[in-house]
Structures are given as C-alpha cells and as structure tokens.
Amino acid sequence: MHTFFIKITSLLFDKIEKQPFIPRIMILGIDMACVVVSFTLTYYICFDLIKAQVLPLPFFSKLGLCLVIHGLCFIAFKTYQNVLRHTSFRDILRILVAVCCANMLLFVINGITDSHYHKLIFPNIGFLINLALIFGMNIVFRVCVKLCFDVAKKHYGKQKTLVPSLIYGVSASNVNLAESINSSKTLLFKVIGFIISKESNARNKTVSGLPIYGKDEILDNMAGQDFYRAILINPAEMDWSEKQTLVNKCMDCKIDLFSTTTWDEWNRKKGDIRHLNKVKIEDLLERPPIQIDIESIARNMAGKTVLVTGAAGSIGSEVVRQISNFPLKRIIMLDIAESPLYQLHLDMKEKLSDKDPAIDCVAVICNTRQYDQLKRVFEKYKPDYVYHAAAYKHVPLMEYHPCEAVLTNVMGSKNAVDLATAYGAEAFVMISTDKAVNPTNVMGATKRVTEIYIQSLSKRLREENLEQKHTRFIITRFGNVLGSNGSVIPLFENQIQKGGPITVTHSDIIRYFMTIPEACRLVLEAGNFGKGGEVFVFDMGDPVKISDLAEKMIRLSGLEPYKDIDIIFTGLRPGEKLFEELLYDKETMIPTSNPKIMTGAIREYDYQHVYSLVSNLVTKAYTCDHMETVKIMKKLVPEYISQNSVYSMLDNNFNQEDEISRSAT
C-alpha cells in the first residue's frame, strides 16, 4: 500500500512538473467557490443565529450579487494571475484589497436598500464576517498548494545537480525570487542564502529558512570558500561603486556573477531563463550614471518634429528610443537598411502605443546621398531637430573604399546640412568620432571633412545673419561605443564561444569606450544647450587596453587567458593607430555646464573655399579614382597622415602648410 501511494504521488508530481502553472481561469473559479462558501456561512450566522431582519429577496439573488461584485474586484486587482506556489506578501495584500473593496461596495448597496426598503442584506457585522471568511479561505487555499508542491518536490521530485548560489540583498523582491528559483525545474541554481549589503541587525539571521550573511564576511573570504559558486544580483538595487567592487572581486576569485530582473518581471515571464544572465564585460567598463537636464531637453523639444538619419544603426536607434520619452509631435526614422528599420518601427509603435500614442512615428527608406530624395523628406515633414547619425564607420573597410566613404560620409552629410539650413531646422546635431582627430585613415578623414564643412557654414551664417534666427549646427565627438555594430566586444565573444584564439591587432593598442545609452544622452544634452558652431567633446573616462579587455572577457567566461584560450596579436590593420585622440595638439577644451561635456576651441575655415574643395572632392569620388580622391582629402585635412595604408605614398607629396591651412582663421 505504501509503495502504491509513492508511485501515485510520484506520477502526480511528474504531471505537475510538465504543467507547472494552474490555469488562471481555474484559480479564479476556486476563488469564486470560496465566495459561495463564505457567503453561505455568513448568511447562516446572520439570519439563523442572530435572527436579523431579511430583505425580501431570494437567497440566490443576493448570492449572485455577491459573486458579481467579488468577481469584478478579483479581475480588477488580478488576484488570479500569480503562480500559486510562489505566493508572496504582495499577492496576499492584493487579495486583501480586492476583498475589502468588494465588501465596501456591498456595504454601500446595503445602505441604499436600508434607506429605501428599511431592510438589510446583512447587518453591518455580516460584512466583516464575510470579508474575514473569504480572505482566510483564499489564503489557506494558496498556502496548501504551496506546501503540497514543496513536500512533493522534496520527496518525489527528480534530483538534479544545482549550483549553490547567494542572492545579493534581502529585499522582498529578492526573497520572492529565491523561492521562485529554488522551485524552478529549468534553472540549475539553488539559493542557499542572502548577502546583506549594509550593516544591520538582520545579519546572521534567516529569512524563508535561508541564512543572511554580511557583505564583508563574504567578500573578504571569497577566495577561500567552497560552499557557494555563484552570486545573483539585481543591478537596479545596487549603486555603481558597489556593483563594480563585487564584479571585480568575483572575477578575481572565479565566482560566477549573474544579473536578474525585478520580481514583477520575473513573475510576468514565468521564470524565463533569459532573465538570469551572466554579468558581461560591459558591466566592468561602466562608469557612474551620467546626469543630464532632462526637463530642459523635454521642454525645448515639446511639440517638435525630429529627424534621425541612420536611425536603424546602433547610435541612431538609441537616439530614437531616448527622444521618444519626450512630448514630441513626430519622430522621423530615416535609413537605407530596410530590415532593421522595419523592426525599429515595430518596437517604437509598441512602445508609443502604451506610453504616448499622440507621437507620430514614421519610418522612411532614404539614402542621404540622394539629394532630391532627401529633399522630399525635408519638404514633407519640415523637421525642427535633425540628429545625423548616418555614416560608414568601419575603418579597415573604408580604407579599401574611400570613394564610397566620401559619398556617404561627406556628400550625404552635406546634403542633410544644406537641407536643414534651407528648411529652417532649429538644430542640426552631427555625430562625429574621435577618429576625426589627426586622422590616420579614410573614415576619420571623411568625418573631419564633414566637421570642417559644418563649422565653416555655421560661421558664415553667424556673420551674415547676426540679427536673424538660423540653424544651430552642433558637432559631437566621442570614441567607441560598447555593443555597437562592428564593436570589438561581439567579436571577442564569438571567438571565445568557438574556443579561441582571440585576435588583437597590437599588444599596446588602447581605445576609449562609452555605452550607447550614455553616449546618446550626451548627444541630446549637447544638442540642447549648444549655441551653434561648437564641437562638443565627451568625457570618455580612462582609455582601455584592448589586450586587458580580452583577458577580462576570458575570465568572465570562467576560463584562463593564454591557458584555456590564447590571445594572438595580428598587427595593425590598414589605417589603424595605437591610440585615439579627442582634440588636436593646438586645440583646447573649455568646460560647459555639464562636467561630462567640453567644448573644443576648434579652428574655423572660410566657407567659400571649403565649399569649393568639398564639391571637387565629391565630384572626384564619383569617378571611383581612389588615389585622387584621397589626395583632395589630404588637401582639405593637412593633418591626415595615413598609417599602414597604400595612401601613405601621398603624404610625401604634400606641403602641410597648404591652401586650406592659410584660410583658417
């Protein structure tokens, strides 16, 4: 008999594991059954025991009224949506509020019937009895389900090898998360305790049967412990310095570190494993959050039409996402890449339908190199703000295709700049790069040519229209962004997944890094307070040695550099240099109201002279004569000295004090 009971229980538990969530309609049905039982008991107590006067309505009519009101309150407060075996204090509170609201409505109806018919549905005490019975039955039902599942899993569940883990922080959300993880059939983690982030009396106590450890106790002895192998963190509940300390310590001691979402998100996704992710290298390179004047930006952009070129790219798409938080009239997303633009448009329509459906979001397929095509966009929408992110950015590839780089980066930008001027845009923000400073490659040189053209045009507008309003041209200059298309980090991740080796061009090469969101926040800030003609340089923090970056990524994967995965040095690519600069030697930086943004005191040039040379450059680019095209660029940008490139031969033919230098003011 005992053996038969064990088999039946085991089969039942296997069935539960395959269908672990009770359907919501069933939960709602059981809750309504509790209402029927509690109402019947309350009716008996009030009218049989207390002998209260009864409203001359049938019993089932009053029961129906009670069911309708309680059902509406249960649906309104979504008491049936939680996973029963993960019932939390928040779920209990939601049930209590729903039951209270239902009985308050019944109490009001009771008062109305009393005033009109001088008879009662219940005496007032009946509503307290009804409330207590319904609430108690609902809680008992959930607790029983939770206990039965825990007992069945403990005695009859299939055993699996789990990673002993600690959760950082003892918030209610983390406690619920621990219970959810420990009852999950997909996650190979077992939460064995919590780390309290601050000193408190909770240290060395328990919560939900799990011990609480002090932060110092864990961090100071991390290297010598063996009772846990992973730490789970919720980045939203940690400050920047705290997270950096923990990440570096775990990496040094080979402790896996995973980031989680909030409990609400976890519960909504039903414990989806994608919401428990290993901490990435981006977390090591983050800096304290950048603060910008959001209110001022929102105020200035209210009711405006904003055009973002290159909207499907890494920077452009993030600019679109961030400006969608402002009360705009319209967002125009312009790109030539069809598929990513279509996906971005879908994402934005979904976001705006919930947040601000009044914003018109338009996707436009357009090549900025086609002047007439771009003109039709400006003529139709007349944008107030233009964020120009459309450009070719890959250094080695553009070294082989300089004419294409010129046509997109120079002519495409010139078209956008000229049309913004012609159609009276308030501001034009050009997204440039640190590779435009003392460029050693075609890509950087094309960006610098565009900077020169924009500055010279802005200078001319200021001189000719001193008393008139004109477009503010603003240039933003920053380095590499983490996670962007073509970034070194996805390349390294792919190489690690394949077992190595990781390829680095040079052992001493360094780069500045910034996350895409923080770069775009600074772009918006610069576009907001720029007066026109400035080149804004962003504080990129300390440069990162690429070989060190590769080593850290290998360690984050739980492997040893040069042992499990090798790092090999392949030599600098065409046009590549060891380090990037944010300013020329002769330029200086002037602080602004935002400590993360500086204004570069940049040389200015005569517009007519620059216009002539840029027109000549574009004309030559159409001929696909690479050498002649690069030669004209070197006239425009005398500091452009090619490195590791076939165009190095041209540098010996130029006198660096050329004609454009003499036109500089």
Side-chain angles (χ1 to χ4, degrees):
M1 186 67 181
H2 178 68
T3 304
F4 176 76
F5 176 76
I6 291 176
K7 287 183 178 179
I8 293 297
T9 308
S10 181
L11 289 173
L12 180 61
F13 182 76
D14 289 341
K15 180 66 176 177
I16 293 173
E17 277 201 318
K18 292 178 182 178
Q19 182 62 38
F21 302 107
I22 299 176
R24 294 174 178 176
I25 189 66
M26 185 180 295
I27 297 174
L28 181 59
I30 295 173
D31 288 345
M32 296 303 288
C34 293
V35 174
V36 173
V37 174
S38 65
F39 181 86
T40 303
L41 290 174
T42 304
Y43 189 91
Y44 173 76
I45 292 171
C46 290
F47 301 129
D48 283 359
L49 297 184
I50 303 177
K51 305 295 184 182
Q53 192 177 15
V54 183
L55 182 70
L57 286 175
F59 167 82
F60 290 105
S61 297
K62 290 180 284 187
L63 175 60
L65 176 64
C66 186
L67 282 172
V68 169
I69 291 178
H70 278 86
L72 291 174
C73 289
F74 287 154
I75 292 172
F77 290 96
K78 300 179 180 179
T79 60
Y80 54 90
Q81 287 193 344
N82 64 301
V83 181
L84 293 187
R85 65 176 182 269
H86 299 153
T87 299
S88 64
F89 176 77
R90 184 176 296 177
D91 299 320
I92 294 174
L93 185 61
R94 187 182 292 122
I95 294 170
L96 178 61
V97 172
V99 174
C100 286
C101 288
N103 280 274
M104 286 177 64
L105 286 173
L106 287 172
F107 179 78
V108 172
I109 295 173
N110 195 56
I112 294 173
T113 59
D114 183 32
S115 63
H116 284 76
Y117 303 101
H118 305 290
K119 298 194 178 180
L120 303 171
I121 297 177
F122 281 150
N124 291 340
I125 189 65
F127 296 105
L128 292 177
I129 297 172
N130 190 50
L131 187 155
L133 287 174
I134 295 177
F135 178 68
M137 289 180 183
N138 274 270
I139 299 307
V140 168
F141 162 58
R142 283 160 172 78
V143 170
C144 287
V145 171
K146 184 180 178 72
L147 289 176
C148 289
F149 186 87
D150 290 344
V151 171
K153 182 175 181 179
K154 180 178 180 181
H155 293 285
Y156 307 108
K158 296 177 182 178
Q159 298 298 316
K160 54 186 177 181
T161 303
L162 303 176
V163 178
S165 309
L166 299 174
I167 289 187
Y168 196 86
V170 199
S171 64
S173 175
N174 285 343
V175 173
N176 291 330
L177 189 62
E179 294 178 355
S180 176
I181 291 172
N182 284 345
S183 62
S184 171
K185 68 183 182 66
T186 57
L187 293 176
L188 298 177
F189 294 89
K190 180 182 180 181
V191 178
I192 60 172
F194 299 91
I195 303 173
I196 192 155
S197 55
K198 298 178 181 179
E199 291 297 329
S200 80
N201 295 329
R203 182 175 176 175
N204 297 326
K205 294 185 179 180
T206 62
V207 58
S208 291
L210 299 175
I212 300 175
Y213 301 96
K215 179 176 68 173
D216 296 338
E217 176 185 358
I218 293 297
L219 296 185
D220 293 345
N221 302 294
M222 188 175 284
Q225 62 72 40
D226 59 0
F227 73 96
Y228 69 94
R229 297 306 311 153
I231 295 177
L232 313 180
I233 65 171
N234 183 349
E237 296 182 359
M238 303 175 67
D239 61 39
W240 176 82
S241 60
E242 192 176 27
K243 184 172 70 171
Q244 290 296 303
T245 300
L246 186 60
V247 168
N248 288 318
K249 189 72 175 179
C250 287
M251 188 178 64
D252 292 340
C253 299
K254 298 182 180 178
I255 299 294
D256 289 335
L257 192 63
F258 292 84
S259 61
T260 71
T261 59
T262 63
W263 162 248
D264 286 340
E265 180 71 16
W266 180 275
N267 194 24
R268 189 161 54 249
K269 299 296 184 180
K270 295 185 178 180
D272 193 334
I273 193 170
R274 290 172 296 178
H275 295 279
L276 189 60
N277 301 312
K278 212 166 187 180
V279 169
K280 297 182 179 181
I281 189 65
E282 287 90 335
D283 296 290
L284 293 178
L285 300 177
E286 282 185 351
R287 290 183 292 280
I290 291 176
Q291 303 298 325
I292 63 174
D293 191 351
I294 292 290
E295 293 183 0
S296 176
I297 298 174
R299 188 167 53 252
N300 290 336
M301 297 184 74
K304 301 296 176 63
T305 295
V306 181
L307 168 65
V308 181
T309 70
S314 305
I315 297 295
S317 60
E318 181 63 23
V319 169
V320 168
R321 292 185 182 94
Q322 292 196 19
I323 63 175
S324 67
N325 296 318
F326 304 134
L328 305 175
K329 175 184 177 182
R330 180 180 291 116
I331 301 174
I332 307 163
M333 304 177 298
L334 184 148
D335 208 295
I336 197 173
E338 173 195 13
S339 295
L341 182 63
Y342 175 73
Q343 185 59 52
L344 177 64
H345 191 214
L346 289 179
D347 294 343
M348 292 309 301
K349 284 201 299 184
E350 180 179 358
K351 175 183 177 180
L352 292 174
S353 65
D354 296 332
K355 185 179 181 298
D356 193 348
I359 299 178
D360 182 21
C361 189
V362 181
V364 177
I365 296 291
C366 178
N367 190 342
T368 57
R369 290 159 58 158
Q370 301 295 326
Y371 181 86
D372 291 338
Q373 187 181 11
L374 189 60
K375 180 181 178 181
R376 284 193 289 271
V377 176
F378 274 84
E379 188 173 2
K380 181 177 181 179
Y381 296 108
K382 295 180 174 56
D384 302 294
Y385 282 77
V386 179
Y387 290 92
H388 183 59
Y392 284 143
K393 303 177 180 70
H394 294 272
V395 170
L397 195 58
M398 291 305 99
E399 208 66 15
Y400 295 113
H401 302 280
C403 293
E404 290 299 310
V406 167
L407 292 176
T408 294
N409 292 3
V410 178
M411 188 182 72
S413 300
K414 179 179 179 296
N415 289 342
V417 168
D418 291 346
L419 288 169
T421 305
Y423 286 89
E426 292 181 24
F428 182 99
V429 182
M430 155 79 177
I431 296 174
S432 189
T433 170
D434 56 359
K435 294 174 178 61
V437 181
N438 293 323
T440 60
N441 51 68
V442 167
M443 193 282 283
T446 58
K447 285 288 194 175
R448 180 57 188 150
V449 170
T450 304
E451 287 185 359
I452 291 173
Y453 180 80
I454 292 175
Q455 286 180 293
S456 63
L457 175 59
S458 180
K459 176 174 178 286
R460 191 199 72 169
L461 291 175
R462 290 198 309 270
E463 292 173 348
E464 294 181 358
N465 302 282
L466 292 179
E467 302 301 326
Q468 299 180 21
K469 181 180 178 181
H470 57 79
T471 303
R472 296 182 292 116
F473 290 103
I474 296 142
I475 298 169
T476 60
R477 189 188 285 171
F478 52 90
N480 299 273
V481 286
L482 298 171
S484 64
N485 297 330
S487 169
V488 69
I489 289 178
L491 172 64
F492 286 173
E493 288 176 342
N494 185 48
Q495 291 175 336
I496 291 172
Q497 289 175 358
K498 292 180 178 179
I502 284 183
T503 55
V504 179
T505 57
H506 196 283
S507 59
D508 295 324
I509 193 168
I510 61 174
R511 289 292 182 266
Y512 291 98
F513 284 99
M514 177 176 281
T515 65
I516 295 176
E518 66 180 347
C520 291
R521 281 196 292 272
L522 292 178
V523 166
L524 296 179
E525 177 87 321
N528 184 51
F529 65 65
K531 302 300 182 184
E534 305 100 330
V535 173
F536 289 112
V537 180
F538 296 167
D539 178 6
M540 299 292 295
D542 297 326
V544 177
K545 198 173 182 180
I546 301 301
S547 59
D548 292 343
L549 180 68
E551 291 178 7
K552 288 182 178 180
M553 290 186 67
I554 294 172
R555 290 194 178 96
L556 277 178
S557 301
L559 304 171
E560 278 293 321
Y562 306 105
K563 180 180 178 182
D564 299 315
I565 291 187
D566 197 14
I567 299 176
I568 60 176
F569 301 98
T570 59
L572 292 174
R573 298 173 298 177
E576 192 172 40
K577 56 183 177 179
L578 287 177
F579 59 92
E580 303 292 356
E581 306 154 273
L582 294 173
L583 286 173
Y584 298 104
D585 294 337
K586 296 181 181 179
E587 296 174 347
T588 58
M589 288 193 291
I590 303 170
T592 68
S593 57
N594 189 318
K596 296 293 182 180
I597 303 177
M598 284 73 67
T599 303
I602 312 297
R603 293 170 294 176
E604 294 183 325
Y605 301 92
D606 176 70
Y607 172 76
Q608 292 299 332
H609 198 74
V610 170
Y611 179 87
S612 175
L613 288 174
V614 168
S615 299
N616 188 26
L617 173 66
V618 170
T619 300
K620 186 59 66 176
Y622 271 116
T623 68
C624 295
D625 187 334
H626 295 336
M627 279 294 176
E628 288 301 316
T629 299
V630 173
K631 185 183 293 185
I632 296 174
M633 269 200 294
K634 288 181 179 289
K635 286 183 178 181
L636 268 161
V637 187
E639 62 274 13
Y640 169 27
I641 307 296
S642 300
Q643 286 189 15
N644 193 30
S645 171
V646 295
Y647 307 116
S648 298
M649 65 177 68
L650 298 175
D651 295 322
N652 299 325
N653 300 328
F654 282 100
N655 175 6
Q656 296 305 312
E657 296 295 329
D658 62 17
E659 52 185 334
I660 193 169
S661 292
R662 290 192 294 272
S663 72
T665 58

